[in-house]
Amino acid sequence: MCTRIHRHGPVQVNGRRRPVKRKPTTITVPRIPHSLADFDRRGFRTDIPVARALLEGHARSFLDGFNIAAADWRSVHEGLREVSSDERGFAYEGAAMYAAIRDAATMGRAQAVSLLSSGPGDGYVHLIRVGTGWPYALVSRPPVAPVGSTPLLRWLGLDGGGFALAFFGGKARLRRFCSRTPTPAWAEKVAGCGRALWFIESAGVPAVCATIGAAPAAARPHLWSGVGLASCYAGGVEADGFAELAAACGDYWPHLAQGSIFGVAARVRSGVVPRYTSVGSRAVLDRDPATVANWSEQALAGIESRGDLAAYGEWKSRLRHIAGAHR
């Protein structure tokens, strides 16, 4: 099955604008099968069954969200409400990928991302912005539309692009991308690669640490940031696993902490905080999720209305400082 997006517009006739009579252009967006999330098919690690089942389930929820939006994007919140509360954030991320494609195909007229971000979507604004970046995995241009009162979140689209790049390209693609010349936008995509690495290795901490250790030095802090976000938002380890991450990252702990704050804050905003998020919050940051989420809000002071990449980097820098001050 597939969804078709029609595009047409007015033309000039004797100096007057009239609707186009010709058959509209049709863009076909195929539904995505669950098999695309199969870790064995993707070549991901499969010998940690509990973590694999959890993370693979998240990936399927992403695909469910995309397909729900493709089936009826105008009533998307109704369909997403049927997804279990723990998984709904991933479904909103998938729906955002579809919404971004639809907006691109209609030159913004559909306003599908805005619709998705309204109402219940406000609780999942972080995941929505990540999801809008998936279609941009292979290009350098990020989505530009700000979201609500926090335009800085637009840059999470770069993170989404990096995640998609590594999720579909595996560790080989991750290594090649990490070897590129560093730029601010590159750094945000590398963070997304770090999130994907958590899925690729099924939350296997030693393998995650080994991959980061073999990456170019410039990429390591951003990879650790992505791992922090993925581990606290998606789970896969218990307290000892989080402690192992915190010990193994060494001097990169502030970046692991910053990513962890992002993951915890996103869960708190949704109103659903799984047990593993609470465990990670206390194991890595030694604070409860509500306190950690408040750090994220504090760090936005004075820059919340800005939408430039430098301000986004400042936000993350402030979070590293706050985490270090409370260590």
Side-chain angles (χ1 to χ4, degrees), residues 75 143 157 175 206 214 231 297:
S75 301
R175 286 192 291 266
S231 59
E297 294 302 314

Side-chain angles (χ1 to χ4, degrees), residues 95-106:
M97 178 182 176
Y98 175 84
I101 293 173
R102 189 169 197 98
D103 280 350
T106 61

Side-chain angles (χ1 to χ4, degrees), residues 122-139:
D122 182 68
Y124 302 95
V125 64
H126 300 81
L127 279 297
I128 290 172
R129 293 318 300 174
V130 169
T132 62
W134 277 68
Y136 296 84
L138 302 179
V139 298

Side-chain angles (χ1 to χ4, degrees), residues 170-256:
K171 285 201 292 185
R173 185 64 191 278
L174 180 152
R175 286 192 291 266
R176 290 197 299 273
F177 188 78
C178 287
S179 297
R180 292 186 180 182
T181 302
T183 67
W186 166 88
E188 301 311 328
K189 281 193 174 183
V190 171
C193 289
R195 279 199 306 120
L197 178 61
W198 189 250
F199 283 70
I200 291 169
E201 294 294 354
S202 287
V205 174
V208 167
C209 295
T211 299
I212 297 177
R220 292 173 199 163
H222 312 297
L223 289 170
W224 277 114
S225 172
V227 167
L229 200 167
S231 59
C232 282
Y233 192 90
V237 293
E238 296 293 338
D240 57 345
F242 284 111
E244 187 178 358
L245 281 175
C249 67
D251 292 342
Y252 298 114
W253 182 86
H255 291 83
L256 176 76

Side-chain angles (χ1 to χ4, degrees), residues 5 22 39-40 54 67 98 105 112 127 129-130 137 153 166 184 187 199 203 209 226 231 246 267 281 288:
I5 301 174
R22 63 179 180 274
F39 278 20
D40 187 52
L54 176 68
N67 292 332
Y98 175 84
L127 279 297
R129 293 318 300 174
V130 169
L153 294 182
F199 283 70
C209 295
S231 59
R267 281 294 192 181
S281 181
D288 64 276

